[in-house]
Amino acid sequence: MKGIDTKKLMTAAIVGALYAALTMLSAPLSYGPWQLRIAEALCILPFYLPYTAWGLFLGCAAANVISSAGVPDIVFGSLATLLSCLAVAGIGRRGDSTVRRLTACLMPVVINGLIVGAVITYAAAGLDPIRNVGAFLVFVTVLGELAAMLAIGFPLMGRVKRIAPDRAG
């Protein structure tokens, strides 16, 4: 199989385990209507190391097993993380600049805000997020995600750029 080797597979697995551990260890901040998942800052890694997207997806799924939002969070929350990471990897593929790095940091904010916000709206209130836009907006977890991405993720990108063998330029 082209493009994946043991080192990349192990790196993705370690990143996924780190995501799960950071999320679970920082509970209750990591769960509930107003989340601050410090581990979300790791979603910048696919910018330079695209193969870590799948590890982050599995790490998020593992962390969401103990979520009070249940199966919808395991499925849709984890898919939101995967979509975010794939978007970050796609932006990284086009080159490295401050604007691209900031855009990459905002992708998880937008994607998780919409998807996880809908999941939490449904889990917390049993409401249809489409019909109950007000309740949906209350549960959009954008502020915690924004804090994690800009306060931790963006500065982390500078460090990863120096050590990432694949795309660091």
Side-chain angles (χ1 to χ4, degrees):
M1 182 181 341
K2 186 179 184 226
I4 191 78
D5 59 24
T6 304
K7 185 177 178 181
K8 289 178 180 178
L9 186 61
M10 293 306 295
T11 301
I14 290 167
V15 167
L18 182 60
Y19 181 101
L22 281 172
T23 301
M24 291 175 181
L25 289 172
S26 60
L29 288 175
S30 303
Y31 301 97
W34 301 99
Q35 305 182 4
L36 174 59
R37 282 197 180 185
I38 297 163
E40 280 293 311
L42 296 173
C43 290
I44 60 88
L45 292 175
F47 190 87
Y48 296 111
L49 308 166
Y51 49 86
T52 60
W54 292 97
L56 288 161
F57 165 67
L58 293 173
C60 183
N64 286 345
V65 166
I66 65 170
S67 169
S68 60
V71 174
D73 199 20
I74 296 169
V75 174
F76 296 108
S78 304
L79 285 174
T81 295
L82 178 61
L83 289 174
S84 298
C85 290
L86 293 176
V88 168
I91 293 167
R93 229 176 262 123
R94 293 187 175 91
D96 187 5
S97 68
T98 302
V99 172
R100 288 191 196 284
R101 288 192 303 269
L102 280 172
T103 303
C105 284
L106 292 176
M107 292 311 295
V109 175
V110 172
I111 293 169
N112 280 309
L114 293 172
I115 297 173
V116 175
V119 168
I120 292 173
T121 300
Y122 178 77
L127 300 174
D128 178 357
I130 305 298
R131 291 189 185 156
N132 299 287
V133 175
F136 170 65
L137 292 176
V138 168
F139 292 120
V140 171
T141 58
V142 172
L143 294 178
E145 186 81 22
L146 187 64
M149 295 309 293
L150 294 182
I152 303 168
F154 188 72
L156 184 61
M157 288 181 100
R159 298 276 185 194
V160 173
K161 179 180 179 179
R162 284 183 250 168
I163 61 170
D166 297 345
R167 289 200 192 138

